[in-house]
Amino acid sequence: MKVGIVGAGIAGLACANLLRIKGIDVTLFDKGRKPGGRTSTLELSDMAWDFGAPCLTAVGADFQEQVSAWARAGLLAPWPGGPAGALVGVPSMSMLVEHQRLSHDARFGALVQKIETDGASWYVAGPSLYDGPFAAIAIATPAEQAVPLLAPHDPGMAYEPAMARSRPCWTLMAAFSEPLAGLPDFLPEDGDIALAARNNSKPGRGPAECWVVQASTDWSARHLHRTGAAVAMDLFLLFEKMAGARLPHPSFLKAHRWRYAHGNGRRCQNLWNPELRLGACGDWCSGSQIEDAWRSGRHLAEKIAGHLIGPAGRGGVAAAQMTA
């Protein structure tokens, strides 16, 4: 009994982790070349930028428990210079995904273009990819990427992600040969800039002066189809305006476009068709934060396990004892 999960980000891994505890094997497929997704980190020599989610916060008791476990494992630490209650992955945000995927059969560079069923089992297919059988399929991708996978099998389920329009974000990564004196480690939203963060102020990072500057979703949408080089220069000038002073010439400057940066958070709950054994999860169907994506994946795992092994979770106790 195995479940296929398309998407190995926070939601997909949260789903996979709970299924494994309940004694169900999983295989994850992700089109990215390496772990991270929207918690990605770029590392070059002694420089590093968390150019996706800059940090996370924990509100719900269930996620606070998970965050405490990550902290005990040395994967998460407070960011004193960040916003209130900010926590960051150590030594990078991408470590949250990198560490979790080691416990699973997770395949990166695996683009799933369609899912197929013979009525009894599921299969995933894409370039140089055909895998299965799976007892159930979970789609844990951005909403726009979930629609073509779900629509041929359950148009009603596909309607939800079709209505959940993700919002884009252009992100600037900049490095300087000297610290930018007089600036706090975190600058909140100001006009066309959503945030600016001194990445090397986070625990576990190197000393190189590295900044991440994220544009607002409105600005990003207006400039969505421009080149990265042009956007990088414009964002640098906006950052300079935000800083209120002329900045030194950067030693590194690069812009990255997140086309599906912020899930809509339609509060459509989890999507699960027990007859087809097909479901979907992600921040777009529950909220826009890392905590929302994590909880969405967990909720879908409960529904999958409840269908495959019953609400009592036969085998779950034994599996939990084996992995303890």
Side-chain angles (χ1 to χ4, degrees):
M1 185 166 57
K2 182 179 289 188
V3 172
I5 301 177
V6 183
I10 294 294
L13 283 165
C15 184
N17 290 337
L18 187 54
L19 289 174
R20 180 170 59 90
I21 289 173
K22 291 180 177 291
I24 299 174
D25 291 333
V26 302
T27 300
L28 295 112
F29 302 90
D30 197 288
K31 70 183 182 68
R33 291 176 294 175
K34 61 180 182 178
R38 285 178 286 180
T39 60
S40 288
T41 302
L42 174 65
E43 297 179 278
L44 294 173
S45 185
D46 62 340
M47 301 179 293
W49 300 265
D50 296 319
F51 65 98
C55 60
L56 63 86
T57 56
V59 178
D62 54 350
F63 192 56
Q64 288 177 357
E65 184 177 344
Q66 175 62 77
V67 160
S68 295
W70 284 338
R72 289 193 298 271
L75 302 172
L76 204 63
W79 179 20
L87 301 163
V88 296
V90 179
S92 66
M93 288 298 293
S94 61
M95 185 55 63
L96 294 177
V97 169
E98 173 67 33
H99 175 79
Q100 293 181 75
R101 68 100 178 182
L102 296 175
S103 302
H104 302 286
D105 178 9
R107 305 175 189 179
F108 291 87
L111 174 61
V112 175
Q113 293 179 317
K114 64 179 178 177
I115 56 176
E116 303 174 350
T117 181
D118 57 12
S121 301
W122 283 98
Y123 301 83
V124 299
S128 302
L129 171 66
Y130 195 84
D131 206 338
F134 298 106
I137 291 286
I139 306 299
T141 67
E144 289 81 356
Q145 296 170 357
V147 173
L149 298 176
L150 296 171
H153 308 284
D154 188 337
M157 186 186 295
Y159 174 81
E160 290 290 351
M163 294 297 102
R165 305 292 183 183
S166 299
R167 295 164 294 170
C169 177
W170 271 108
T171 297
L172 175 70
M173 292 165 278
F176 302 90
S177 58
E178 58 188 61
L180 301 187
L183 290 181
D185 294 332
F186 179 82
L187 288 81
E189 182 177 4
D190 183 11
D192 291 328
I193 299 296
L195 64 88
R198 193 191 315 263
N199 206 76
N200 50 298
S201 70
K202 300 176 181 179
R205 276 64 173 177
E209 184 77 355
C210 297
W211 281 81
V212 172
V213 180
Q214 292 188 348
S216 69
T217 55
D218 288 344
W219 191 94
S220 298
R222 293 198 305 270
H223 299 270
L224 187 63
H225 300 293
R226 297 179 64 204
T227 66
V231 166
M233 183 53 65
D234 280 358
L235 282 180
F236 178 75
L237 294 175
L238 286 173
F239 178 42
E240 196 170 55
K241 179 180 177 182
M242 185 186 205
R246 188 170 181 82
L247 300 178
H249 185 76
S251 57
F252 179 89
L253 201 65
K254 179 180 176 65
H256 178 84
R257 180 182 61 188
W258 292 103
R259 187 180 290 272
Y260 310 123
H262 303 284
N264 198 307
R266 285 173 52 82
R267 305 291 175 185
C268 59
Q269 303 304 315
N270 293 95
L271 302 173
W272 170 244
N273 184 324
E275 287 75 28
L276 292 177
R277 289 164 282 111
L278 174 64
C281 61
D283 57 4
W284 58 267
C285 66
S286 61
S288 60
Q289 303 300 312
I290 288 177
E291 178 171 352
D292 298 311
W294 175 86
R295 186 171 291 111
S296 176
R298 298 272 295 188
H299 285 175
L300 180 57
E302 291 282 7
K303 293 184 179 182
I304 294 172
H307 182 81
L308 295 182
I309 60 179
R314 294 190 306 274
V317 173
Q321 291 172 342
M322 291 174 63
T323 57

